[in-house]
Amino acid sequence: MKESVLSAGIDIGTSTTQLVFSRITIENTASMVSVPRMSIVDKEVIYRSDIHFTPLKSRTEIDGDEIRKLIEGEYNKAGIRPSDLQTGAVIITGDTARKENASEVLKNLSDLAGDFVVATAGPSLEGIIAGKGAGADLYSREKGAVVANLDVGGGTTNIAVFRNGEVIDTACLDIGGRLIRFTDSKRNVAYLSDKIKILLSKMNINICEGDILSHADAKRVSAKMACVLEEVIGVKTPSKDLDLLITDCDLRRDYQIDYVTFSGGVADCIEKADRSLDDYTYGDIGILLGHAIADSDLSVKRDVLKSIETIRATVVGAGSHTTDISGSTITVTGSALPIQNIPVLKLTSDDEDLPVEKWGEVIKRKVKWYRLENEQQKLALAFKGRRNISFSQIQVLADSIIYGLENGSEDDSPLIIVVENDLAKALGQTLKVRLDFNRDVICIDTVKVENGDYIDIGRELSESKVVPVIVKTLLFNY
Amino acid sequence: MRLKTKLFGTLYEFKDLNDVMAKANEEKSGDKLAGIAAATVSEMTAAKEVLSNITLADLRNNPAVPYEDDEVTRIIQDGVNEKIYNELKNFTVAEFREWILSHETTGADLRRASRGITSEMVAAVTKLMSNLDLIYGASKIKITAHCNTTIGEDGVLAFRLQPNHTTDDVDGIRLSLFEGLSYGAGDAVLGLNPVYDTVEPVSNVLRMFHEIKEKFEIPTQTCVLAHVTTQMDAIKQGAPADLIFQSIAGSEKGNTAFGLNASVLSEARDLMLKEGTCEGPNVMYFETGQGSELSSEAHHGVDQLTMEARCYGFAKKYKPYIVNTVVGFIGPEYLYDSKQVIRAGLEDHFMGKLTGISMGVDACYTNHMKADQNDIENLSVLLTAAGCNYFMSIPHGDDIMLNYQCTGYHEVPSLRETLNRKPIREFEIWLEKMGIYENGKLSKRAGDASIFIK
Amino acid sequence: MISEDRIKGIIENVLREMGSGEISTDLRTREATVSDDDIVDFGATDLRKQLLVPNSANEEAYLKLKETTPARLGIWRAGPRYMTQTQLRFRADHASAQDAVFNSVSEEFIKEWGILEVSSKCKDKDEFLTRPDLGRQINDETAEILRKNCVNKPKVQIVIVEGLSSTAIEVNARDTFESLTQGLKGHGIEGGTPFFIRNGRVPSMDSVSEVLQPEVTVALVGERPGLATSESLSCYIAYKASTSIPESARTVVSNIHQMGTPSVEAGAHIADIVVKILEQKTSGIDLK
């Protein structure tokens, strides 16, 4: 049994906006005579848009109407209708300032992106998505090594570190090709980011917007940025400049990075040996920054691997690598799906160690506390669950869940349960029976979530009966 | 043909040659299940005596399954070199046995003889052999074959590396492969039994084997043991394979149950010679096992040993690189316990060698059989002494996919060191190059699969 | 090898040097009175997480790849031979598999469950193992017992067939059965009278179906054990089962055990398959 899902990835970045369509293939990987185990077996990008400059109304405001036109144009070119899509992610990346009108932009796009959309992501998630798009996670699994992807874009550098296919660390820095922009090829400065202003003054380069930056200074500041990247990766001892340019969190550097990959717009200028292009072709310092990174110790002291995607890493990551699928035996009743942005309330392992008879009180207490803190009433109850649960225990578990989640009022919204271990069908069936079939139940498994995550759950796929799932980890704590 | 005899005052009379053959067999639960076994050990011995006086000509003229009815019989009979047969045909089975065991008879004589005899003669003489007869007789016969490397040379014991996985997970297969290599396994073939018998997964594993073989420059052969037609489709679509595999039976009807016939195998061989990735000329890999004909009701009332011998006669036509019996896989209704499995293993190996094919043994047992790991360790030592070309090897002897146990990766160095055997020469050089072998033995690094991961 | 006594001696010396020689006697007494709870179950080690190769070239990658396979890898060696601990675990797993095959489902278990027990034509385990033909059949008396005690022509007949693993039946059959029954009830389907077939093989489901004539027969059968688990249960489902239908007309769900598909989850899944079979009036390869 093979089935494919069409997914869209849209990346609205500081400087460029891109779109991809990916086909995600799902196949049963269990033997014919077992309970099916559907897995994602292939992800293929079937359409890549042109790389557009992000239309802006002002320096900090994205032009939602123009974005819409641009995306619509790409849909038409690809011959894909929004209704063809089962899943996807829209990501607004780069300067946080830009994100002020993000929700408005997203609203503008909602009908185009199907009913399955990821909102803005934090820098950690951006870095992870780009790293997956660049293939750093794959490399780390193949080589059994630690691989760091540096997504060097226009406004920021997002770093995600993978070990054996899993993220172990992230960081974000104010390093990018368009933090200094020029109005013309004579290096007339049009824009300087605030952090860069501080950096320049520390380097005794005293210029403002409107001044001319000398070629030598442009090279110096690019080299400085490359130097800070050496520091963050652990090739050089960290300096005050690193502290300055870190935007949210630094890497821990308590592990050894074996390999480095580069993605983002600047990555192409790192890889290309040919330097015939004029240094200021793009009216910014991107090319110089690329050269500075290429000349730095990063590529000497760490093995650099060729990224699968460079400038398109984030959009491919968004299109191909954000969607996961649930386990194959699940319970979905009614027509509540798809649902988006459902906050996850997860029981702790201490909670789970209690006998299931006691779970009802725990859930009730946590839900009450949660509802005091949050406006949104909808939530997904998550727990790991025991693999070897008996039939009688599952009855008790179902009763505890129903008791814990009932809120007194006439609530007929569906129960949303997300379990890590394989028991969602039996649990869902039991919940239905215990609820006298009066309330819809969405009970899925083989999905790992954490407290504070948000989850999107798509419609059941027609053949395989699994649901696409996107887990949005907003916080990345270690 | 004399079909009766007298023993300790009792007259034993047999219906026909097939009846003699069946009753002359050492005890096998499968022959009992088929209702053709001797009722007592005395009757068995009587049958052996009758058989000992049958001539090879009688056996030629009375094939177990009639020539007209069965393609396998035709292939065996038509393959006989008449000149050599004429030299041997007047031997009784007893004389044939003694000739095989004689100091005067060399391995070359036996290899030549193999071209003039039929599978029924091979089976008949086996029934008169004790276990040590089987070991001694087989040890005289050296059969080599060449695919990318040569198997079967003197003093060499090769192993198939069998990295089976419950879901054909490529990473899981890869780790098992690496670990096997790190114990010196894999010179016979890197061969997976796939869970999914379809073109795509089979091609995926073949490609992965090929990549690893190329990357580390391993002198060996690769194979994925799906149904022959699946492999052919994969190869036609460009999948790289050195050997093509099929399970075969000793009757046409049995082969039909396996979904094949002689022309399918000829086609497979031709395809491999044209599109396989190996040097050749030996490009086929077969598996067999006593009892499979009965389980598909294709035994024609013939005992399982004779049917097994016919598998080898059939296999010989296709000049295989390797053939092995999966001796303890079928279960206690065919081979009841370790005693029967050990006997069958020795019989099958001897018969394969006497037929003239490059013979290996999957020394194994299932969990519903009265046998354990010690028994197949015993069998593997006996077979190594008998000059067996190769065994299987799997992690700790536990096949997680086929749910049976056989020889493990650790048996590879253990048998070689204990009985002074070496890997296939090119492979041994490679093991030294990789630092897995030092001075003809495992190095300190051996047993660490992660030397292949970086 | 350093003997245990020598290690103890070293520890005693160290402790004495630290000025607390008293503890050495403590050590001895504690050893004598070690509580049962402190004893490690050597069959419970998760082999996927165990790497015994010392100073391996890439330990992390080794462990990560080990997660992808239940094969016994990274087990290291003593010379060319197995380490003692892995050899013992192998023997233990084989013992567990053999126990599952050669022992019978206890009569107490069936009594406690409260279901009817009948037998195939095999008179004992040995005959069961060597005569697969008899394990498929029931005799006339058994047919009569079924006729008398069971609902005739039920929509769904569930049978528990001992098969090749008594352990699988004792550990997983009941939860699978209960969950399946609950699932069927959810669809408004009542099952017939469940019963247990001792020394039965899979096709015994056909023989009993010819007597009771259910629309769908569901057999929960003990699978031939591997070393990874001896508790694996299989489920065979057939529409209008009889001894004349081919094997390919059975829908199979195997690998029901704690590490495969948990029994309650499998039961819920099987219920959906039964519903599908009732809708399509066919089973096995023809079932869409």
Side-chain angles (χ1 to χ4, degrees), chain A residues 33 163 166 329 387 425-426, chain C residues 60 64 254 258 260 265 272:
Chain A
V33 295
R163 171 188 279 157
E166 274 168 35
T329 49
R387 280 197 68 82
K425 192 168 201 97
Chain C
E60 270 191 51
K64 189 77 190 173
S254 67
Q258 196 184 325
E265 191 70 352
D272 280 6

Side-chain angles (χ1 to χ4, degrees), chain B residues 1 104 133 140 154 192 235 273 277 309 334 342 411 421 451:
Chain B
M1 251 195 318
E104 271 69 56
D133 293 349
K140 287 169 102 174
D154 284 332
L192 178 99
I235 291 159
L273 290 171
T277 36
Y334 302 94
I342 289 173
E411 272 66 270
R421 296 295 200 275
I451 59 171

Side-chain angles (χ1 to χ4, degrees), chain B residues 193-339:
Chain B
N193 297 92
V195 177
Y196 301 105
D197 202 314
T198 51
V199 172
E200 206 179 303
V202 167
S203 304
N204 285 345
V205 176
L206 279 171
R207 268 192 289 273
M208 188 257 283
F209 279 175
H210 190 73
E211 270 165 32
I212 290 175
K213 198 181 94 177
E214 297 279 294
K215 180 172 176 191
F216 296 103
E217 300 173 322
I218 313 170
T220 186
Q221 356 328 289
T222 58
C223 186
V224 172
L225 291 72
H227 191 269
V228 66
T229 51
T230 312
Q231 293 170 81
M232 286 168 77
D233 288 344
I235 291 159
K236 281 177 195 158
Q237 290 172 26
D242 293 329
L243 288 170
I244 192 160
F245 166 85
Q246 181 54 42
S247 287
I248 54 169
S251 69
E252 185 178 338
K253 203 174 163 201
N255 284 325
T256 308
F258 281 140
L260 69 122
N261 56 35
S263 71
V264 171
L265 292 185
S266 296
E267 212 182 295
R269 182 160 183 269
D270 290 346
L271 177 74
M272 279 309 283
L273 290 171
K274 274 204 194 90
E275 303 200 21
T277 36
C278 65
E279 282 171 37
N282 306 111
V283 294
M284 307 295 282
Y285 175 9
F286 296 120
E287 278 188 348
T288 64
Q290 290 189 27
S292 68
E293 295 82 7
L294 175 57
S295 76
S296 59
E297 290 171 7
H299 62 298
H300 297 275
V302 174
D303 69 275
Q304 62 189 39
L305 182 75
T306 304
M307 290 315 274
E308 181 71 7
R310 289 164 53 90
C311 293
Y312 305 141
F314 179 54
K316 187 161 77 167
K317 177 182 162 77
Y318 305 96
K319 303 182 171 54
Y321 180 66
I322 44 176
V323 178
N324 64 262
T325 168
V326 191
V327 68
F329 187 65
I330 195 159
E333 60 268 44
Y334 302 94
L335 294 169
Y336 182 67
D337 58 6
S338 58
K339 186 181 174 187

Side-chain angles (χ1 to χ4, degrees), chain A residues 91-154:
Chain A
I91 293 190
I92 300 189
T93 57
D95 301 357
T96 37
R98 290 284 169 73
K99 292 179 182 166
E100 275 170 15
N101 64 333
S103 60
E104 191 195 313
V105 172
L106 287 171
K107 207 184 281 171
N108 245 323
L109 291 178
S110 63
D111 60 315
L112 271 183
D115 24 40
F116 218 94
V117 174
V118 176
T120 52
S124 292
L125 187 54
E126 284 174 34
I128 295 166
I129 288 173
K132 288 180 175 173
D137 61 330
L138 275 181
Y139 283 132
S140 76
R141 190 164 44 223
E142 259 172 35
K143 295 180 182 293
V146 177
V147 181
N149 182 60
L150 281 66
D151 187 68
V152 190

Side-chain angles (χ1 to χ4, degrees), chain A residues 32-36 143-144 163-164 166 329 387-391 394-395 422-426 429-430 433 437 445, chain C residues 58 60-61 64 175 178-179 182-183 186 252-255 257-269 271-272:
Chain A
M32 250 95 75
V33 295
S34 294
V35 174
K143 295 180 182 293
R163 171 188 279 157
N164 287 311
E166 274 168 35
T329 49
R387 280 197 68 82
N388 54 345
I389 192 161
S390 69
F391 184 74
I394 220 161
Q395 308 294 315
D422 183 9
L423 51 93
K425 192 168 201 97
Q429 235 171 42
T430 310
V433 171
F437 301 89
D445 62 22
Chain C
N58 194 339
E60 270 191 51
K64 189 77 190 173
D175 278 329
E178 306 271 15
S179 182
Q182 170 180 277
V252 189
V253 177
S254 67
N255 214 25
H257 58 95
Q258 196 184 325
M259 303 314 291
T261 303
S263 48
V264 285
E265 191 70 352
H269 176 67
D272 280 6

Side-chain angles (χ1 to χ4, degrees), chain B residues 33, chain C residues 119-124 127-138 161-163 197-208:
Chain B
L33 180 63
Chain C
S119 168
S120 76
K121 276 189 180 171
C122 297
K123 60 179 186 299
D124 57 27
E127 188 166 67
F128 170 75
L129 289 170
T130 50
R131 292 294 302 273
D133 48 339
L134 299 182
R136 294 176 193 138
Q137 304 164 22
I138 53 165
V161 180
E162 189 171 28
I197 309 175
R198 193 172 290 283
N199 287 324
R201 288 192 183 246
V202 176
S204 65
M205 70 188 280
D206 301 330
S207 308
V208 299

Side-chain angles (χ1 to χ4, degrees), chain B residues 165 172 179 183 336 365 367-369 371-373 377 395-396 398 402-403 405 410-411 414 443 446 448-450, chain C residues 56-58 62 68-69 72-77 80-82 86 90-91 94 98 101 126 130 224-227:
Chain B
H165 191 278
E179 188 144 320
Y183 281 91
Y336 182 67
Y365 61 103
N367 289 322
H368 59 322
M369 183 178 271
D372 64 22
Q373 201 68 13
E377 287 182 3
H396 215 310
D398 170 16
L402 294 170
N403 267 341
Q405 287 86 248
H410 291 61
E411 272 66 270
S414 306
S443 75
D448 177 4
S450 69
Chain C
S56 66
N58 194 339
Y62 219 135
T68 65
T69 171
R72 292 167 203 251
L73 294 164
I75 54 175
W76 200 230
R77 58 197 174 81
R81 300 304 298 153
Y82 301 98
T86 68
F90 178 95
R91 286 307 299 264
H94 184 237
Q98 294 225 298
V101 174
D126 204 54
T130 50
R224 191 184 94 199
L227 290 200

